[in-house]
Amino acid sequence: MKSVLVKDYMTREVISVSPDVEITAATESLIVHDISGAPVLDGHGRLVGILTERDCMKVALHAGYHDVPYGLVRDYMTPNPESVTPEQSVLTLAEKFIHGHFRRYPVVDNGRLVGIISRRDILRALSKHQGM
C-alpha cells in the first residue's frame, strides 16, 4: 500500500482562480463547478493561495451586515497554503487528513500546480487497495 501515490488519485484538471478576480466571480465559479474550494494561481501558474467556500461565506455574511463592497480574491484567500507532492504516499496523506482540518491539498511539483487531492480521493484509494 505504501507504493500507492498521490499522483495515482489526484484530480489533474483543476478549477483555479486568479488573486485579481472579484470575489463574487470566484464564488460563482465555485457554485457553477460544484466545488468547495479552489487553488489561487498567479499569472505564472504558481500557487499563491487557496479560496474556500468558507472564505466566500464570510465575505457574503459581512457584506450582508455591513453593505460593503466585496473586493478581490487576494483579500480573502488563505495565502501560501500547505501542499503535497505527487510522489507522496496516500497513507501519509491519510494521516494528515485525520489529524488536520483541511478537506483538500493542492498537489505541487517543481513549483507548479499539477492537481488537487481531497479526503474522498484518499478514501477511494484506501478502499480500493484494502478491499473495503
Side-chain angles (χ1 to χ4, degrees), residues 29-71:
S29 181
L30 296 183
I31 293 166
V32 166
H33 292 98
D34 195 27
I35 54 176
S36 61
V40 181
L41 305 181
D42 70 10
H44 302 287
R46 290 183 299 251
L47 180 68
V48 296
I50 195 152
L51 183 71
T52 67
E53 59 191 357
R54 178 182 290 178
D55 298 326
C56 297
M57 274 194 246
K58 287 178 189 176
V59 174
L61 185 62
H62 187 263
Y65 281 123
H66 304 288
D67 197 30
V68 294
Y70 284 107

Side-chain angles (χ1 to χ4, degrees), residues 8-9 11 119-129:
D8 299 324
Y9 286 90
T11 299
R119 292 185 295 194
R120 185 164 298 150
D121 296 328
I122 296 299
L123 187 58
R124 189 171 5 100
L126 294 172
S127 176
K128 179 178 179 182
H129 291 280

Side-chain angles (χ1 to χ4, degrees), residues 48-50 74 76-82:
V48 296
I50 195 152
R74 73 173 63 256
Y76 301 102
M77 70 181 191
T78 300
N80 306 311
E82 192 173 342

Side-chain angles (χ1 to χ4, degrees), residues 103-119:
R103 299 172 97 183
R104 76 200 62 74
Y105 284 97
V107 183
V108 176
D109 190 24
N110 293 320
R112 298 274 185 212
L113 182 76
V114 295
I116 197 157
I117 192 151
S118 69
R119 292 185 295 194

